[in-house]
Amino acid sequence: EVQLVETGGGLVQPGRSLKLSCVASGFTFNNYWMSWTRQAPGKGLEWVASITNSGGSTYYPDSVKGRFTISRDNAQNTLYLQMNSLRSEDTATYYCTRRVPFDYWGQGVMVTVSS
Amino acid sequence: NIVLTQSPATLSVTPGESVSLSCRASQSISTSIHWYQQKSNESPRLLIKYASQSISGIPSRFSGSGSGTDFTLSINRVESEDFSIYYCQQSYSSLYTFGAGTKLELK
């Protein structure tokens, strides 16, 4: 059974950093692109970052480019999202997803950016 | 960036009705459109991929069509469990984007 479990969320002050993790199981992790998608409270879905299966290429929308970094450890079956210079508008539930289209989603982890 | 426009924003229906939800792309994207369903307080799930390809485990009443810029998600005979929000997403560009969603609600 495919499982994606996100951790690392919480309350953080504006301008600070936070790193999310997503542990994958039930499939061969290094065969798949992985992504992060977020959803602000009461709002729609916003794609945040993607990484190729080898980790050699990454993709970001302008809203997070230069502040967020997606990475992966294929030996540990783990996906990461390093978030720097956090803003109030980054407050959201962050989901880890597999491949494109996003065929499996984690349960999500909440990130709140507030002073 | 490719913009996806979903309509209507809200659709009020009674169980048993058949409905069509629209997603329009700002440029031609071939069939690189995918549909997701999100029930309240749950993670989204993939319903349809590449405009019309079915997904294992998804009821057959869900179907998709379209190519180029205009796409449709159809639900044949809506059931009570279908009341949720539906999003389209494009993967024509590696800068993936979602539509704003259509909320299917009970009339």
Side-chain angles (χ1 to χ4, degrees):
Chain A
E1 178 193 6
V2 171
Q3 285 198 321
L4 301 170
V5 179
E6 305 98 335
T7 58
L11 174 63
V12 60
Q13 293 179 329
R16 304 298 291 265
S17 299
L18 199 64
K19 188 172 186 176
L20 305 182
S21 299
C22 169
V23 175
S25 60
F27 65 100
T28 304
F29 184 68
N30 61 14
N31 282 354
Y32 292 88
W33 283 43
M34 299 293 293
S35 301
W36 291 95
T37 294
R38 68 184 180 185
Q39 186 170 37
K43 303 297 185 183
L45 301 172
E46 180 187 19
W47 165 73
V48 170
S50 292
I51 187 168
T52 56
N53 54 320
S54 66
S57 295
T58 56
Y59 304 87
Y60 307 92
D62 289 344
S63 58
V64 307
K65 187 178 286 187
R67 299 189 299 124
F68 288 13
T69 301
I70 188 172
S71 62
R72 64 191 296 159
D73 181 341
N74 285 342
Q76 298 295 323
N77 289 349
T78 303
L79 178 72
Y80 301 102
L81 184 68
Q82 175 68 47
M83 304 184 291
N84 299 333
S85 303
L86 283 162
R87 307 167 179 166
S88 58
E89 54 264 37
D90 296 319
T91 294
T93 296
Y94 286 74
Y95 297 100
C96 168
T97 62
R98 189 184 81 159
R99 78 183 305 173
V100 178
F102 302 163
D103 61 351
Y104 284 93
W105 296 63
Q107 85 286 353
V109 62
M110 185 67 199
V111 173
T112 302
V113 183
S114 175
S115 54
Chain B
N1 288 357
I2 298 171
V3 176
L4 300 178
T5 303
Q6 291 190 244
S7 62
T10 304
L11 191 54
S12 301
V13 303
T14 55
E17 279 188 65
S18 293
V19 299
S20 293
L21 284 60
S22 172
C23 178
R24 178 164 291 176
S26 59
Q27 65 181 74
S28 180
I29 57 171
S30 185
T31 56
S32 297
I33 200 78
H34 319 294
W35 292 92
Y36 300 85
Q37 176 193 54
Q38 187 177 29
K39 298 182 180 180
S40 182
N41 297 318
E42 293 186 9
S43 301
R45 70 166 176 168
L46 180 64
L47 286 181
I48 298 286
K49 64 180 181 180
Y50 295 104
S52 62
Q53 295 181 19
S54 59
I55 301 296
S56 175
I58 300 300
S60 59
R61 62 181 180 276
F62 292 95
S63 63
S65 63
S67 66
T69 60
D70 291 314
F71 302 90
T72 301
L73 174 70
S74 299
I75 310 175
N76 184 33
R77 294 186 173 181
V78 170
E79 298 190 4
S80 57
E81 64 189 32
D82 301 336
F83 293 107
S84 49
I85 301 176
Y86 294 85
Y87 296 95
C88 58
Q89 178 205 28
Q90 64 80 23
S91 63
Y92 185 82
S93 160
S94 294
L95 301 181
Y96 310 119
T97 46
F98 287 92
T102 291
K103 182 178 182 180
L104 188 67
E105 66 175 22
L106 180 63
K107 193 172 190 178

